[in-house]
Amino acid sequence: MADQRRSHAGTTKTKTKTATPRRASSARGPEHAARAACQSLEGLIDHRAEGVSAVRRTDDGWCVVVDVLEVPRIPDTTSLLASYEVQLDGSGELLEYRRVRRYRRGAADE
């Protein structure tokens, strides 16, 4: 019984050690790019990011589409949102951004 506990504990430690490098390697992946794009854009345009609708790798970094609340209204379905295309380099630094779409929250995609 004690041998089983020792062998189980050894297996758990091994799993924990192999999981750590995976997290480290994905630190600069699409999740990091999405967070970096939201934070950079919010600081520049002074509007709150609602979410990310697209992330894609480019030759030199990432292209992230961030949806931003530009004009809050009551009821919320009439609020104006915008989609911004944010270009980041490989380390997550902002290269450029531009607004590509503006729409009402309650409007369906065309």
Side-chain angles (χ1 to χ4, degrees):
M1 183 79 98
D3 291 333
Q4 288 176 347
R5 275 188 246 145
R6 269 189 238 128
S7 103
H8 179 67
T11 304
T12 303
K13 287 181 184 176
T14 305
K15 286 182 183 176
T16 304
K17 287 181 182 178
T18 58
T20 304
R22 276 190 217 136
R23 281 189 215 127
S25 67
S26 68
R28 297 285 180 212
E31 294 159 348
H32 175 265
R35 276 193 299 275
C38 287
Q39 290 171 353
S40 296
L41 189 63
E42 283 178 344
L44 287 169
I45 65 172
D46 200 32
H47 292 297
R48 182 173 58 93
E50 289 278 307
V52 172
S53 54
V55 178
R56 70 180 163 84
R57 184 176 275 295
T58 61
D59 292 338
D60 59 345
W62 296 94
C63 177
V64 181
V65 178
V66 180
D67 299 314
V68 173
L69 177 63
E70 287 198 333
V71 182
R73 292 186 178 157
I74 298 173
D76 192 43
T77 55
T78 61
S79 294
L80 290 179
L81 288 94
S83 295
Y84 284 82
E85 190 174 87
V86 180
Q87 300 289 329
L88 304 172
D89 66 13
S91 63
E93 294 296 317
L94 179 76
L95 298 174
E96 66 180 16
Y97 74 93
R98 66 188 180 102
R99 185 170 66 190
V100 293
R101 180 175 174 234
R102 197 168 192 200
Y103 58 98
R104 273 184 303 113
R105 184 185 300 277
D109 283 348
E110 296 174 16

